[in-house]
Amino acid sequence: MTTGRWQYVTALIAAGLTSLAIGTTGVSAQQSIDVRTDEARQFSEDFERLTDVTARANFLLSTDDGGDITYADILANPDDIVLNFRWAKAQLARGDVRGASATLERILVLDPDLAPVRLYYAIVLYRLDSLDEARGQFDRLLQMDISPDVEANIRQYVSAIERRRKRLSQSLTLTLGSQIDSNRNAAPNDKVQLLTGTPTTITASGDKPNNDIAYIGALRYDVSYDLGYQEGHEVFASLTGYGSDQVQLDALDLGSFSAEIGTRIRGGYWMLTPTLSQTAQSLSREKYLTARTGRLRLDWNVRPFFNLNGDVSYSDERYQNTSESSALRLHSGQRYGARIGGNYNWSPNHRTTLNFAAGMKEAARNYYSYNSLSGELIHAYLFGGGSYISGSIRYGMDQYRDPDFLTTGNSPQHRTDRSTRTRLTYGAPLSTILPTDLFGDSETANQILGFLAPINWSVTGEYLNTKSNIPNYEYHNARAQVFLTRRWEF
C-alpha cells in the first residue's frame, strides 16, 4: 500500500474514532433523558396508588389494626362493636376492601350513630368507587356532631368525588429541582481506553470523570374523558416537557418534549391500555432524536392485594447529526421491548414491585445494535401524613451484536455491559415541616400556606455501576437529587 493510501486510511480511522466518541456521548444523553422522563411519570403514578386509602384516612387509625383478630372471634361475639371494628381494619390491612365494607355495614346496623365507623365506611366505599353511596355517607356525617378537622377532611373527599364524577378530568404537574453527579460524562473508571485495540492513556480533562450540578424542570399536562360506559372506559392524552441545564458541561444539557394519546378499556378484573406517543429530544439545545412509540399494556387484578401487569412496545428512533457529532444517524433504527411485572400490597402501607424486561435495538450499524435483559425490585413504605420512603435495585445487561473494530481493532470481541443501579427516595408534603403560623394568621397568610402545603419535596440518592468487557464503557456514578412537585387538578 502506498504512503498516500496509508494516510487516507489513517484519516478515516481518526474521523471514525472522533465520530464514535461524540456519538457515544449522544447515546448516554439519550438514555439519561429517557430515564428522567420515565421516573417522573412512574413516581407520580406509584405515589397516587400508595396514598389512595392510607394517607387520606390516616387520622382514623387511632386504634390497633386488629392483626390478632380472627373470624372465629367474630363468630363468638358477633355483636361486639369494638371487636368488629378491629376486624374491619384487619381486613383492610390484608387488602380485603369488600370484606371490610360488609363488616362496617354490619356495625352501623347495630349502632347507626357511630360517627368514626361511618366515616371509615364512607372512605372504604370511596375506595371501591361506589361514589354515590360514599357521598350519601359523607352527607349524613355532616349532619352529625363532628370536629372541625374531621369536617374539613370530609369536604376534601366530597370535592374529590365531584371531580371523579366529571367526565372530563385535567391535571397539571410541575417539578423543579437540582441534581449533582460525580461522573456526569460517564467517563471510564480506568484512565485507559481502547483505540483500534490499543490501550491508550486518557490525558484530556474532558474525557476524565467530571462532577457537575444540573437544574431540572418538568411540566406535565394530563387530560382524560370518561366515555360513559358502566365499566369506566376512557380516552386520555398527555403533554410532557423536560429540561436539564448543566452548570459546567453545557454539551450535556438535555431537553425533551413528548405527546401521548391512548385509551383505557376496563373489564371486571383487568384493564387494557394501548397508547401512541411521539418524543423529540435535544442535546446542547440541538434536536438530535425523534421517536414514535406504540405500547400495549395489560393489568390484571389477581387478588385485591396482588396485581400482575405487562406491556409490549415498538419504537421507531430517528437520530440526526449535530454540530458536535456527525455519527448520530448511525444509531437510527427500531427498538422492541417487552416487560412483565407484579405489585404485592403487604398492607396499605407496604408495597413491593417486581419487574422483568427484555428488549432489542436495531441500528443502522450492527455494532450499535444490542439485546437487553433487566430486572428491578422496588419496595415502598408510606408513613402517616403523606410521607413515604421508596428503595429500588435494578440489574441489566446489554449485549451488542457485532464488534466495533474502531474500538477493538482486529479482536472479534462483542461488547457486553452489565449495570447495577440502586436508589433510595424519601419524600413528604411541605405541610409536614411548615408551621401553621409561619406567615401569621391573616387571610393572605392562609392563602400562601394553602399553596405551599400540598407541594411534595423529595430527596433521592442513587448509585450506578456499569461493568463492561471493554474498558471504554466501564464507569460508575453517584447522584443526589432534590425535587419540589406541585399538582393541580381541575
Side-chain angles (χ1 to χ4, degrees):
M1 183 177 293
T2 64
T3 303
R5 288 184 178 179
W6 271 113
Q7 292 175 341
Y8 177 71
V9 171
T10 303
L12 281 179
I13 292 177
L17 288 172
T18 302
S19 298
L20 174 64
I22 298 175
T24 302
T25 302
V27 174
S28 299
Q30 171 210 344
Q31 186 179 33
S32 178
I33 186 62
D34 286 343
V35 171
R36 295 277 72 79
T37 303
D38 184 65
E39 282 177 356
R41 182 173 60 250
Q42 284 299 124
F43 173 80
S44 177
E45 294 174 356
D46 290 343
F47 184 75
E48 289 177 4
R49 286 193 294 266
L50 284 167
T51 57
D52 190 16
V53 177
T54 53
R56 300 191 184 195
N58 186 67
F59 66 95
L60 287 174
L61 304 179
S62 56
T63 62
D64 66 90
D65 62 5
D68 58 338
I69 305 299
T70 66
Y71 190 59
D73 296 325
I74 301 300
L75 292 177
N77 300 278
D79 296 332
D80 188 324
I81 291 176
V82 174
L83 193 65
N84 276 271
F85 193 28
R86 294 175 64 201
W87 173 245
K89 291 184 177 183
Q91 289 175 298
L92 191 60
R94 293 197 306 270
D96 186 6
V97 185
R98 295 188 183 277
S101 173
T103 302
L104 294 166
E105 188 174 9
R106 184 169 63 250
I107 296 174
L108 292 173
V109 170
L110 296 172
D111 190 342
D113 295 326
L114 287 173
V117 176
R118 189 170 297 279
L119 185 54
Y120 208 77
Y121 180 50
I123 294 173
V124 169
L125 289 173
Y126 176 86
R127 179 68 177 87
L128 290 170
D129 285 330
S130 300
L131 301 184
D132 292 335
E133 292 90 339
R135 177 62 188 269
Q137 296 297 327
F138 285 127
D139 288 342
R140 186 166 177 176
L141 278 162
L142 292 172
Q143 308 298 321
M144 302 174 71
D145 184 16
I146 55 178
S147 69
D149 289 342
V150 173
E151 181 180 351
N153 278 281
I154 289 175
R155 296 200 182 279
Q156 289 179 4
Y157 273 102
V158 171
S159 298
I161 288 174
E162 292 305 314
R163 286 196 303 269
R164 291 175 64 172
R165 277 176 167 172
K166 293 193 305 183
R167 297 184 66 178
L168 180 66
S169 299
Q170 302 175 80
S171 67
L172 192 67
T173 305
L174 174 65
T175 297
L176 299 174
S178 181
Q179 72 181 31
I180 182 170
D181 294 270
S182 65
N183 184 8
R184 184 63 186 91
N185 55 329
N189 293 339
D190 298 328
K191 297 181 180 180
V192 175
Q193 63 180 353
L194 293 182
L195 296 176
T196 62
T198 302
T200 304
T201 302
I202 298 175
T203 57
S205 59
D207 295 331
K208 297 178 181 180
N210 281 267
N211 56 37
D212 199 9
I213 296 173
Y215 299 105
I216 297 172
L219 184 65
R220 179 182 174 93
Y221 169 72
D222 290 278
V223 59
S224 63
Y225 183 75
D226 190 331
L227 296 176
Y229 293 91
Q230 184 176 359
E231 295 84 356
H233 307 320
E234 62 180 346
V235 294
F236 64 90
S238 67
L239 299 173
T240 303
Y242 175 95
S244 174
D245 182 50
Q246 299 291 144
V247 173
Q248 298 179 17
L249 303 176
D250 292 333
L252 294 180
D253 289 345
L254 299 168
S256 174
F257 180 81
S258 62
E260 182 181 52
I261 186 171
T263 181
R264 298 184 182 96
I265 304 170
R266 292 184 170 91
Y269 295 95
W270 56 269
M271 181 173 68
L272 190 66
T273 308
T275 59
L276 294 173
S277 64
Q278 177 155 330
T279 301
Q281 296 179 346
S282 65
L283 183 63
S284 188
R285 295 175 176 80
E286 290 186 73
K287 180 181 175 182
Y288 77 99
L289 171 65
T290 299
R292 298 177 178 87
T293 303
R295 188 181 305 274
L296 183 64
R297 173 177 174 133
L298 176 65
D299 288 84
W300 178 32
N301 295 318
V302 182
R303 300 289 297 275
F305 51 84
F306 181 47
N307 166 271
L308 284 176
N309 56 81
D311 58 67
V312 292
S313 62
Y314 166 81
S315 295
D316 180 46
E317 299 178 338
R318 295 298 162 186
Y319 288 81
Q320 62 186 52
N321 297 334
T322 66
S323 58
E324 295 187 2
S325 175
S326 59
L328 287 181
R329 289 184 182 274
L330 301 180
H331 296 269
S332 297
Q334 288 70 46
R335 184 184 298 274
Y336 306 86
R339 181 196 61 83
I340 186 170
N343 303 310
Y344 189 88
N345 295 290
W346 304 91
S347 72
N349 303 76
H350 285 277
R351 176 175 182 167
T352 299
T353 300
L354 184 62
N355 289 314
F356 295 98
M360 180 172 63
K361 167 67 189 237
E362 301 284 353
R365 295 293 183 270
N366 226 22
Y367 45 79
Y368 290 139
S369 301
Y370 60 88
N371 299 324
S372 62
L373 290 172
S374 66
E376 185 174 29
L377 177 65
I378 308 168
H379 186 78
Y381 177 75
L382 181 68
F383 301 98
S387 60
Y388 62 92
I389 188 169
S390 177
S392 67
I393 181 168
R394 180 186 182 276
Y395 177 81
M397 181 179 69
D398 297 330
Q399 189 165 24
Y400 286 74
R401 305 278 179 77
D402 285 349
D404 183 356
F405 295 110
L406 290 176
T407 302
T408 60
N410 294 325
S411 171
Q413 189 174 30
H414 293 240
R415 174 184 167 188
T416 300
D417 296 344
R418 293 177 172 85
S419 62
T420 304
R421 186 187 72 172
T422 55
R423 290 171 56 87
L424 185 65
T425 298
Y426 176 81
L430 282 181
S431 58
T432 59
I433 59 175
L434 290 178
T436 55
D437 58 350
L438 179 63
F439 304 102
D441 57 359
S442 65
E443 183 178 349
T444 302
N446 291 332
Q447 290 176 346
I448 295 174
L449 188 64
F451 175 81
L452 295 177
I455 294 177
N456 185 86
W457 63 273
S458 64
V459 179
T460 298
E462 174 185 309
Y463 182 73
L464 174 65
N465 187 25
T466 300
K467 300 289 186 180
S468 179
N469 59 342
I470 298 176
N472 303 38
Y473 309 108
E474 186 165 308
Y475 71 98
H476 56 80
N477 178 53
R479 169 176 294 172
Q481 297 173 322
V482 178
F483 288 120
L484 295 175
T485 301
R486 180 69 156 87
R487 179 181 175 89
W488 295 267
E489 295 183 351
F490 47 94

